[in-house]
Amino acid sequence: MAELSSETGRQIGVLIDRKGHVEYVMVGDAKRIELPDFGRVRVGMDRFRGLRCVHTHLKNEPLTQDDLTDLALLRLDLMTVIQVDSGTGLPGKILSAHILPKSAIAGPPGSRNGSSAGDAVSFAFLDPAAALRPETDFLSLIRSLEAEMARVRGFVRTGIKSRELAILVGIESGSGSDVEDSLIELSELAASAGLDVADTIIQRRKQIDPKTLLGRGKLDELLIRSMQIGADVLIFDRELTPTQVRILSEATDLKIIDRSQLILDIFAQRAQSREGKLQVELAQLKYMLPRLIVGQNSAFSRLAGGIGGRGPGETKLETDRRRVRDRISHLERQVFELGRQRGERRKRRSTRSVPIISLVGYTNAGKSTLLNTLTQSSVHSEQKMFATLDPTSRRLRLPFDQEVVINDTVGFIRDLPDALVAAFRATLEEISESDLLVHVVDAANPQALTQIESVDRILTDLGFAKFPQIIALNKADIADPLEVSALQRSLSLDRQADCVPISAIDRHSLFPLAERIGNRVRHFPESSLEAAANVL
């Protein structure tokens, strides 16, 4: 190999199996060789490929970054370089490296540790050896490494059961620096969907690659990291085009979902009522319809079952577009009819002059907990995003002996998928009959102002911004009192908003809120307890 490389001026390489048989021969140029594409990731996360690469370097270069990247991406047993003497054409030193299991503090005897790709994966570099006298017991080394990798993977998976491991991917192209905050929210969404977030990767670049979003180096780093930790899912913090899903799926051989699909999946898990299930299925089909394109089946077939695959399921994704459109039309008629029935109930409610209060706010702000405490109810509440999907109404007697109806509504979130907003419009129309909105804010969240802006934007888009509001700064018991006071002053001065700090779990802290609600609705005629009961 050294002699041929010297004569041709090209790098020459071979792939050798564990029995010593040559499986592939590669001829490159003076600087590099191209290795075959084996279908990169799914070799087996606790073993290597069973092939070692041996190739020449013409200028006595050490192992390059490209060598280490190929070693990791293709999960080769070993990457070996033969340094060729430029004068004689004889082989010089032999340099080798292998992947090092994450838990290994020190490599095998005769090796030194190193890292690459932003510490996404570690390598061990064997001591340089003479060409004719290699001293490493290769098979023993590989078997010990695979045993350690299997042990580490088993340790990582202990207690996780069937939960999938996810890597979150954020892309930032502007001058802003909110990608970290956005990924924190994405991590909460992933946890609510039943995923374990194993790592987060951020790509910052001036121009986004229209095909893969990520640059080549960052994509390689993502692949290496996913192999090291055994990730099952890559979640992108933006909506992906069908082409991007296909290209990323082919490049990684992993399940690829975006932020919108993750939210849809959470809704599919949480929907309990018939109306909620219909609306979720309608939203999912509308999201998937433009993605049902020839050539996409291999990418989307991975979404069958598990995170990102609830609701319509694989059978509907494989159905032709005409049948999907027919199903969408059928669901839209059903949702319209349910909306009509809901509208009739609202009309009957309005004829009885019972003031209607709607709780609105960002998801997981504490709306359901507040409803339970105010009305001594037991509506399902949970410290998860979108724990409430189905609107709930309860009666409430205010301090001035007034009866009102109070509605709990689905939580909002920034960049709520359009398909989801459209599908849940019938549910959100409950807000349209409100006399007062109580905007529940998580005052302990550092992004409280941003969340308030997101809710206001959605209310404006829905045409509900004109309704009077009271802002309830929830979780004041666990928030910094100075920050709560600053937030209250900011909202009172800048927005002329009526703000009141509360704790949804403390009934005594809710008296000021109840008094303010009573003052707002006092001009409505009093209604009897019987009338309110009839409404509900």
Side-chain angles (χ1 to χ4, degrees):
M1 288 174 61
E3 183 178 354
L4 289 172
S5 284
S6 180
E7 290 178 357
T8 60
R10 296 171 176 267
Q11 290 188 12
I12 295 177
V14 292
L15 291 175
I16 307 170
D17 67 17
R18 294 184 184 179
K19 294 182 179 180
H21 300 148
V22 175
E23 295 289 339
Y24 295 90
V25 177
M26 298 86 65
V27 179
D29 56 24
K31 296 182 178 180
R32 64 179 63 86
I33 58 172
E34 291 290 336
L35 274 69
D37 184 3
F38 298 100
R40 289 179 164 180
V41 175
R42 294 300 184 190
V43 179
M45 301 313 298
D46 54 1
R47 62 185 178 86
F48 297 110
R49 189 172 292 277
L51 295 172
R52 50 191 147 153
C53 177
V54 180
H55 70 287
T56 57
H57 275 183
L58 296 173
K59 297 181 180 180
N60 291 327
E61 310 103 303
L63 286 158
T64 66
Q65 183 60 54
D66 286 342
D67 291 331
L68 297 177
T69 299
D70 286 336
L71 170 64
L73 292 182
L74 298 176
R75 294 191 71 79
L76 299 173
D77 290 355
L78 203 69
M79 178 64 72
T80 297
V81 166
I82 302 172
Q83 294 182 333
V84 179
D85 186 280
S86 57
T88 64
L90 296 176
K93 293 180 180 179
I94 295 180
L95 308 176
S96 299
H98 61 77
I99 298 174
L100 188 66
K102 186 177 181 182
S103 67
I105 299 175
S111 68
R112 51 195 170 83
N113 297 342
S115 63
S116 181
D119 290 330
V121 69
S122 297
F123 303 95
F125 298 88
L126 303 184
D127 292 335
L132 301 179
R133 290 183 300 172
E135 298 177 355
T136 302
D137 185 346
F138 167 71
L139 289 178
S140 175
L141 170 66
I142 292 302
R143 287 172 185 148
S144 64
L145 288 171
E146 288 190 336
E148 175 65 10
M149 292 175 75
R151 186 191 69 80
V152 171
R153 182 167 171 81
F155 174 77
V156 170
R157 287 293 187 177
T158 299
I160 293 179
K161 298 181 180 179
S162 60
R163 291 169 67 95
E164 294 177 293
L165 285 178
I167 295 179
L168 310 183
V169 184
I171 298 98
E172 184 178 44
S173 58
S175 58
S177 181
D178 60 348
V179 63
E180 289 88 354
D181 296 331
S182 182
L183 285 174
I184 291 174
E185 183 175 271
L186 188 66
S187 178
E188 295 177 4
L189 286 170
S192 296
L195 287 164
D196 287 296
V197 177
D199 202 359
T200 298
I201 288 181
I202 297 175
Q203 168 80 90
R204 289 184 172 92
R205 57 185 308 179
K206 293 182 179 179
Q207 291 185 338
I208 299 297
D209 189 315
K211 293 183 179 179
T212 62
L213 300 179
L214 306 172
R216 178 178 177 182
K218 186 63 70 171
L219 182 59
D220 286 345
E221 177 185 337
L222 179 59
L223 289 170
I224 292 171
R225 186 62 178 148
S226 68
M227 289 187 293
Q228 183 190 24
I229 63 179
D232 305 293
V233 188
L234 300 181
I235 305 177
F236 285 76
D237 191 28
R238 60 171 55 201
E239 187 166 324
L240 301 176
T241 67
T243 300
Q244 289 168 345
V245 172
R246 176 178 58 81
I247 292 175
L248 287 167
S249 182
E250 291 174 352
T252 64
D253 203 27
L254 292 171
K255 185 186 295 185
I256 306 294
I257 63 177
D258 59 20
R259 189 175 186 275
S260 296
Q261 192 165 3
L262 181 62
I263 294 174
L264 288 170
D265 187 88
I266 295 173
F267 273 61
Q269 293 183 52
R270 304 288 167 77
Q272 298 296 325
S273 68
R274 175 172 174 265
E275 183 176 8
K277 292 178 180 178
L278 287 175
Q279 291 175 127
V280 169
E281 183 178 357
L282 177 59
Q284 286 185 310
L285 288 175
K286 284 185 174 181
Y287 174 84
M288 283 297 181
L289 180 60
R291 292 161 171 79
L292 296 177
I293 303 173
V294 175
Q296 301 275 347
N297 289 343
S298 61
F300 284 101
S301 64
R302 297 188 185 91
L303 298 179
I307 301 300
R310 293 181 177 82
E314 185 179 14
T315 55
K316 287 186 174 62
L317 297 182
E318 293 173 346
T319 305
D320 60 83
R321 297 169 69 88
R322 180 185 59 79
R323 292 185 61 188
V324 172
R325 288 194 184 97
D326 289 345
R327 178 63 178 167
I328 288 176
S329 298
H330 176 68
L331 291 173
E332 286 179 334
R333 288 193 295 270
Q334 289 185 292
V335 170
F336 175 80
E337 178 60 25
L338 290 172
R340 188 188 63 78
Q341 295 173 7
R342 189 181 293 276
E344 291 296 327
R345 291 196 295 271
R346 288 198 301 269
K347 288 180 181 179
R348 290 196 300 272
R349 185 181 300 169
S350 62
T351 59
R352 292 178 171 84
S353 301
V354 180
I356 299 174
I357 315 297
S358 288
L359 303 179
V360 299
Y362 213 77
T363 179
N364 205 25
K367 297 182 294 298
S368 297
T369 303
L370 177 59
L371 176 69
N372 286 335
T373 306
L374 281 172
T375 62
Q376 300 184 34
S377 303
S378 57
V379 174
H380 175 71
S381 62
E382 193 175 358
Q383 191 66 22
K384 286 185 177 181
M385 289 187 161
F386 301 113
T388 300
L389 290 188
D390 301 313
T392 305
S393 297
R394 294 290 185 269
R395 69 168 175 256
L396 171 66
R397 182 185 292 276
L398 295 173
F400 301 102
D401 202 26
Q402 297 165 301
E403 289 290 336
V404 299
V405 172
I406 185 164
N407 293 328
D408 186 16
T409 62
V410 61
F412 297 150
I413 194 170
R414 68 171 186 86
D415 300 329
L416 195 64
D418 293 338
L420 202 54
V421 174
F424 275 77
R425 185 168 293 275
T427 299
L428 295 172
E429 283 177 356
E430 285 286 334
I431 304 175
S432 66
E433 301 299 323
S434 302
D435 300 296
L436 176 67
L437 303 182
V438 175
H439 184 167
V440 183
V441 177
D442 181 358
N445 193 309
Q447 300 300 313
L449 280 174
T450 303
Q451 293 182 355
I452 291 171
E453 291 174 357
S454 297
V455 173
D456 287 344
R457 191 177 304 114
I458 295 173
L459 289 174
T460 300
D461 293 342
L462 293 172
F464 302 150
K466 61 183 179 180
F467 295 113
Q469 281 190 28
I470 294 176
I471 297 181
L473 300 178
N474 190 27
K475 305 183 184 180
D477 54 328
I478 60 174
D480 186 335
L482 294 178
E483 293 182 359
V484 174
S485 298
L487 181 61
Q488 186 175 9
R489 285 195 304 272
S490 173
L491 293 172
S492 299
L493 293 175
D494 298 341
R495 298 168 179 254
Q496 302 297 314
D498 188 5
C499 302
V500 53
I502 65 167
S503 172
I505 60 175
D506 181 5
R507 184 173 180 82
H508 296 289
S509 73
L510 303 183
F511 288 120
L513 175 62
E515 288 179 357
R516 301 211 185 176
I517 294 175
N519 290 333
R520 289 292 190 96
V521 301
R522 191 180 298 177
H523 63 281
F524 287 95
E526 293 187 3
S527 50
S528 65
L529 180 63
E530 180 181 359
N534 290 335
V535 171
L536 297 169

